[in-house]
C-alpha cells in the first residue's frame, strides 16, 4: 500500500482537530512530480543528475578542466529556501545560435546533453556571465523545488503551531481536572468535624487515636487510581530493563490494561466512587490519556511522512536534501522532534498526580508501610515508631539510611507532630490499620518477653 | 487485614507472622516486577523466605559469562537481621570460601534494615567485579590474588568455565 494511503487511513482514526492540521503529503508529492518534469526539461534525468552531483567531489583534479561541475545550492538569503543548480560548463565552442553542445563527460545520455544545451539556449538569462578559465557559470533556479520547500516549511510550521495550541489546551483541561479531583479527594480534616490539623498540643504519642472520617471523600479511590496508574507505566517505563519511552502499540495496550484493572477493582462505577464529580473526573482523566496516545500517533505519523516525502524527492529527482556547501540551510524547516507526548505525560505527572500524597512518599523504609507514628531521628530520617523500638531493643544504634548513631538516643521528643497530623489527615485508613498493627505486635512482644507460653490461652 | 479484638494469642501470633510475611511478599513482588539485569531471585513455593538466586558474572571480570547459583534465606527477624546468602556454585574468589560463604560487611555488622534483597544481590554482583583480597575469607585464594593477580584471574576464569557455564 502507498504511504499516502496509509497516512490518510491513520489520520482518519484520529480526532478531527488533530487530523485537520496534518501534513500535506499529497500536495508535496505532486510538487515532486513537477520538479521531476522541470529537471527533465533541462535534460537532467535523475541518473544524469546523480552522476553529475557525484562527480562534484571527485572532479577536483585535472578533470576539473573538462568535466562540468554541478552544485546544488539552497539560497536562504531571502528568508525562504530557494534551491538552484550552479553549473560550470564548457561554453559552446561556436556561437550559441549554432548547434553548440556542452561537453558533458561522464553523462551517459546524449539526448540529455542536447536538451540541456538547448534549454540553456532558450534561457540565456541563466548564464551568470562569470567565467573561470574556459568554463562559464550557469545558475538554474528550481521553481518547483522552491515551492516544495515552501510548502514543506509552512506545513511543518502550522503543525508546530498547532502542537503548541494542543499543549496549552491540554494544560487548561489538566488544571481544571486537578481542581475537581482535589475537591473530591479531600483529607480527613475537611470532612470530619472532630479533627483539627493543629492538634500538636498533645505531648504523648501514645495517646494518639485516629478517627475514621464519615463525610464523603473519594480520597482512597483516587489514591488507588493514581497508584494503579503509576504502576501501569503506560507511556514510559521506569524499569531497569527497558527504561524509556514506550512504543505506541505498547502504550495502547497498557492504557487498555489500566482501564481493565480499574473496572476489575470496581473503581469505574459507583461502587468505590462516592461522588458523582469523581466519576466525571475519572472519565476526563482517561480521556486525557487517550489524547496523549493520539498525539503520540499523530507525531509519529508526521515524522514518518516527512521522512518519506524527503526520501521520495531524493529518489525521483536525485536532488540532495542538503546544500553542497552549507549543511544548515534546512534549518529554516522546523523539526518536529516528537517530544510533545513526553511533555504531556510529564505535565500530568507534575500537576495532577502529586495533589494526592502517595503512600510511597510516606512509608517507613524498614517495614515499607506508612511510617506511623512517625519518629524523626536527629539525622533527619523518618521511620515508624515500631521499627525504631525494635532496633533499640536489638541495640542497633545506627540510622538505617545514613548510619549516623542516633537511633538509641531517640525518645518521645523525636515524634514528628506535624508529620503525624499530616498522615492522620491524608492517610486516615492506613494510619488506623498501622496503629492497630503496632499495638498488636507490641503486645505480642511483651508476652514473649515475659516468657509466657504463646500458643495457649491465658487467664488473667 | 483485621482481627477481632478478643482473639486468642496463638491467632494473634499467627497474625503477626503473616504481617511480617507480607513485607517479604511485597518485596518479592517488586523484585519480580522490576528485575535487576543479570540477577534472578525466585522464592520456593513451600517456603516464601527461601530464594533460589542466580547472578551473572559481570562483564570485564574473570567471572564473565558465568551464571552462579546462590541460596538466600530471610530469617524471621528480617529486615532487622540480614538475609543469609551463600554461593552454591563453586567460585574462585578471595571473599568467598569453599562452602560458598560470603565475606561482605552489609551481610554482617554493616547490615541496615533499610537494605533489601535487591540491594544485597547487587552488592554481591559488585563484589564479583571488585574482589577485596585484603579482607579475605579464602586465605589461599587471597594470597594468589595478591601475589600474581593475572594467574589468579586465569584460575577464576577456569573455574567459571568449569562450574558456572550455563
Amino acid at each position: 500500500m502507498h504511504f499516502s494511503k496509509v497516512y490518510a487511513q491513520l489520520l482518519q482514526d484520529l480526532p478531527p482537530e488533530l487530523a485537520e492540521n496534518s501534513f500535506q503529503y499529497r500536495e508535496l508529492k505532486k510538487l515532486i512530480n513537477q520538479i521531476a518534469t522541470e529537471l527533465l526539461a533541462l535534460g537532467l534525468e535523475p541518473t544524469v543528475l546523480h552522476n553529475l552531483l557525484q562527480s562534484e567531489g571527485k572532479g577536483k583534479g585535472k578533470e576539473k578542466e573538462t568535466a562540468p561541475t554541478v552544485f546544488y545550492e539552497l539560497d536562504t538569503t531571502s528568508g525562504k529556501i530557494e534551491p538552484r543548480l550552479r553549473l560550470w560548463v564548457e561554453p559552446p565552442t561556436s556561437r550559441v545560435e549554432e548547434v553548440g553542445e556542452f561537453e558533458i563527460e561522464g553523462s551517459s545520455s546524449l539526448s540529455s546533453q542536447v536538451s540541456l544545451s538547448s534549454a540553456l539556449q532558450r534561457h540565456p538569462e541563466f548564464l551568470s556571465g562569470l567565467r573561470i578559465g574556459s568554463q562559464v557559470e550557469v545558475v538554474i533556479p528550481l521553481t518547483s523545488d522552491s515551492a516544495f520547500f515552501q510548502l514543506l516549511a509552512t506545513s511543518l510550521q502550522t503543525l508546530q503551531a498547532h502542537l503548541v495550541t494542543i499543549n496549552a489546551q491540554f494544560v487548561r483541561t489538566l488544571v481544571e481536572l486537578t481542581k475537581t479531583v482535589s475537591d473530591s479527594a479531600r483529607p480527613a480534616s475537611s470532612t470530619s468535624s472532630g479533627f483539627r490539623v493543629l492538634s500538636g498540643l498533645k505531648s504523648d504519642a501514645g495517646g494518639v487515636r485516629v478517627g475514621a472520617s464519615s463525610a464523603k471523600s473519594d480520597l482512597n479511590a483516587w489514591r488507588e487510581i493514581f497508584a494503579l496508574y503509576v504502576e501501569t507505566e503506560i507511556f514510559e517505563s521506569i524499569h531497569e530493563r527497558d527504561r524509556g519511552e514506550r512504543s505506541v502499540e505498547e502504550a495502547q495496550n497498557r492504557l487498555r490494561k489500566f482501564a481493565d484493572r480499574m473496572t476489575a477493582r470496581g473503581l469505574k462505577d459507583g461502587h468505590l466512587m462516592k461522588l458523582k464529580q469523581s466519576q466525571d473526573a475519572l472519565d476526563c482523566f482517561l480521556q486525557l490519556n487517550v489524547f496523549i496516545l493520539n498525539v503520540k500517533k499523530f507525531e509519529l505519523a508526521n515524522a514518518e511522512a516527512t521522512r518519506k516525502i524527503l526520501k521520495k524527492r531524493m529518489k525521483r529527482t536525485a536532488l540532495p536534501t542538503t546544500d553542497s556547501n552549507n549543511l544548515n540551510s534546512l534549518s529554516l524547516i522546523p523539526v518536529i522532534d516528537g517530544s510533545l507526548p513526553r511533555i504531556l505525560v510529564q505535565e500530568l505527572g507534575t500537576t495532577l498526580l502529586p495533589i494526592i500524597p502517595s503512600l510511597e512518599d510516606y512509608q517507613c523504609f524498614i517495614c515499607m508501610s506508612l511510617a506511623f507514628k512517625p519518629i524523626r531521628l536527629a539525622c533527619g530520617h523518618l521511620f515508624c515508631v515500631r521499627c525504631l523500638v525494635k532496633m533499640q531493643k536489638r541495640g542497633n544504634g545506627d540510622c538505617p539510611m545514613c548510619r549516623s548513631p542516633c537511633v538509641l538516643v531517640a525518645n518521645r521528643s523525636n515524634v514528628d507532630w506535624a508529620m503525624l497530623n499530616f498522615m492522620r489527615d491524608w492517610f486516615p485508613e492506613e494510619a488506623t490499620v498501622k496503629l492497630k498493627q503496632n499495638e498488636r505486635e507490641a503486645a505480642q512482644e511483651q508476652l514473649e518477653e515475659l516468657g509466657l507460653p504463646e500458643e495457649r490461652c491465658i487467664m488473667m | 487485614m483485621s482481627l477481632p479484638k478478643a482473639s486468642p494469642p496463638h491467632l494473634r501470633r499467627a497474625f503477626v507472622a503473616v504481617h511480617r510475611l507480607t513485607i517479604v511478599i511485597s518485596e518479592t513482588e517488586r523484585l519480580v516486577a522490576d528485575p535487576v539485569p543479570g540477577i534472578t531471585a525466585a522464592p520456593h513455593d513451600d517456603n516464601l523466605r527461601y530464594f533460589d538466586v542466580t547472578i551473572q558474572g559481570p562483564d570485564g571480570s574473570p567471572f564473565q559469562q558465568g551464571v552462579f547459583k546462590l541460596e538466600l534465606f530471610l530469617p524471621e527477624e528480617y529486615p532487622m537481621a540480614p538475609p543469609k546468602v551463600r554461593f552454591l556454585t563453586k567460585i574462585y574468589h578471595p571473599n568467598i570460601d569453599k562452602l560458598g560463604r560470603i565475606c561482605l560487611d552489609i551481610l554482617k555488622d554493616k547490615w541496615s534494615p533499610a537494605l533489601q534483597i535487591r540491594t544485597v544481590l547487587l552488592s554481591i554482583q559488585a563484589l564479583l567485579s571488585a574482589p577485596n583480597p585484603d579482607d579475605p575469607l579464602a586465605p589461599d585464594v587471597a594470597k594468589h590474588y595478591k601475589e600474581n593477580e593475572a594467574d589468579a584471574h586465569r584460575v577464576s576464569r577456569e573455574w567459571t568455565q568449569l562450574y558456572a557455564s550455563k
Side-chain angles (χ1 to χ4, degrees), chain B residues 24 27-28 48-51 72-78 82-84 117:
Chain B
V24 173
E27 195 179 331
T28 309
L48 295 176
R49 295 183 172 276
Y50 190 91
F51 289 75
L72 182 146
F73 181 72
L74 301 174
E76 189 75 8
E77 304 89 62
Y78 177 83
K84 299 187 193 315
I117 301 175

Side-chain angles (χ1 to χ4, degrees), chain A residues 162-443:
Chain A
H162 184 56
L163 292 180
V164 171
T165 333
I166 284 179
N167 195 352
Q169 279 170 354
F170 182 87
V171 170
R172 235 174 290 138
T173 317
L174 188 63
V175 169
E176 205 55 42
L177 175 65
T178 306
K179 264 188 221 149
T180 318
V181 173
S182 65
D183 261 0
S184 56
R186 277 173 298 175
S189 57
S190 68
T191 51
S192 117
S193 52
F195 179 86
R196 278 176 297 276
V197 176
L198 295 170
S199 58
L201 293 174
K202 274 188 193 150
S203 58
D204 181 11
V208 172
R209 284 291 173 273
V210 185
S213 63
S214 51
K216 279 188 175 178
S217 163
D218 282 326
L219 177 61
N220 282 306
W222 277 110
R223 178 170 293 134
E224 197 174 332
I225 290 166
F226 286 174
L228 213 58
Y229 180 74
V230 171
E231 201 185 297
T232 317
E233 298 173 36
I234 296 168
F235 295 104
E236 278 165 39
S237 163
I238 52 161
H239 282 176
E240 285 182 51
R241 250 174 328 170
D242 55 352
R243 188 174 291 268
E245 206 175 346
R246 296 199 189 278
S247 70
V248 170
E249 292 78 25
E250 179 71 14
Q252 194 157 11
N253 285 339
R254 280 174 180 267
L255 188 57
R256 197 169 299 133
K257 199 173 131 202
F258 171 64
D260 289 347
R261 282 174 78 182
M262 287 212 301
T263 319
R265 277 291 294 117
L267 287 163
K268 268 180 134 176
D269 48 35
H271 234 39
L272 289 164
M273 287 285 207
K274 295 172 196 155
L275 302 163
K276 176 78 177 68
Q277 52 173 354
S278 294
Q279 287 178 49
D280 295 344
L282 182 57
D283 276 344
C284 176
F285 178 60
L286 283 173
Q287 273 166 22
L288 278 184
N289 278 290
V290 172
F291 182 75
I292 296 178
L293 191 68
N294 281 334
V295 170
K296 207 173 154 83
K297 281 183 193 168
F298 183 64
E299 283 212 332
L300 213 67
N302 285 322
E304 184 68 2
T306 314
R307 201 181 61 80
K308 287 257 185 191
I309 204 78
L310 286 174
K311 197 174 150 198
K312 188 176 271 290
R313 172 180 166 280
M314 183 96 152
K315 208 167 129 196
R316 290 287 309 275
T317 66
L319 292 173
T321 44
T322 49
D323 198 313
S324 22
N325 38 29
N326 180 7
L327 289 169
N328 293 325
S329 301
L330 283 180
S331 61
L332 280 183
I333 297 179
V335 180
I336 308 291
D337 57 2
S339 63
L340 186 61
R342 279 218 303 279
I343 293 170
L344 298 186
V345 169
Q346 212 177 352
E347 272 161 1
L348 211 138
T350 48
T351 312
L352 179 63
L353 299 185
I355 61 165
I356 296 178
S358 88
L359 188 59
E360 227 172 78
D361 295 333
Y362 296 92
Q363 66 186 10
C364 164
F365 281 106
I366 300 174
C367 61
M368 298 309 231
S369 52
L370 184 70
F372 197 77
K373 296 169 259 181
I375 309 291
R376 178 85 57 191
L377 295 178
C379 59
H381 291 114
L382 191 91
F383 299 95
C384 79
V385 65
R386 194 68 210 122
C387 288
L388 287 176
V389 166
K390 280 193 233 173
M391 284 190 77
Q392 286 187 341
K393 282 187 180 166
R394 297 177 62 94
N396 295 347
D398 294 345
C399 166
M401 300 307 282
C402 66
R403 295 194 200 285
S404 77
C406 47
V407 173
L408 294 180
V409 295
N411 57 28
R412 274 172 201 284
S413 68
N414 287 71
V415 174
D416 189 332
W417 285 101
M419 186 56 88
L420 189 145
N421 284 327
F422 178 85
M423 285 177 176
R424 282 207 294 170
D425 202 10
W426 283 99
F427 299 90
E429 290 187 11
E430 290 85 348
T432 317
V433 170
K434 187 69 192 282
L435 207 60
K436 278 188 188 149
Q437 239 168 40
N438 286 355
E439 282 167 6
R440 198 171 292 131
E441 236 185 80

Side-chain angles (χ1 to χ4, degrees), chain A residues 24-39 143-152 154 309 312-313 316-317 319:
Chain A
Q24 283 133 316
Y25 191 81
R26 273 171 209 272
E27 285 74 13
L28 285 168
K29 215 166 110 183
K30 273 182 210 150
L31 280 174
I32 289 181
N33 289 337
Q34 282 180 29
I35 303 170
T37 329
E38 200 177 294
L39 286 173
T143 11
S144 296
D145 199 28
S146 182
F148 173 84
F149 278 120
Q150 187 97 39
L151 184 58
L152 184 67
T154 41
I309 204 78
K312 188 176 271 290
R313 172 180 166 280
R316 290 287 309 275
T317 66
L319 292 173

Side-chain angles (χ1 to χ4, degrees), chain A residues 239 368 400 403 437 440, chain B residues 13 15 19 33 110 112 116:
Chain A
H239 282 176
M368 298 309 231
R403 295 194 200 285
Q437 239 168 40
R440 198 171 292 131
Chain B
R13 184 170 183 274
F15 183 87
H19 167 60
K110 288 284 185 232
S112 148
Q116 298 179 359

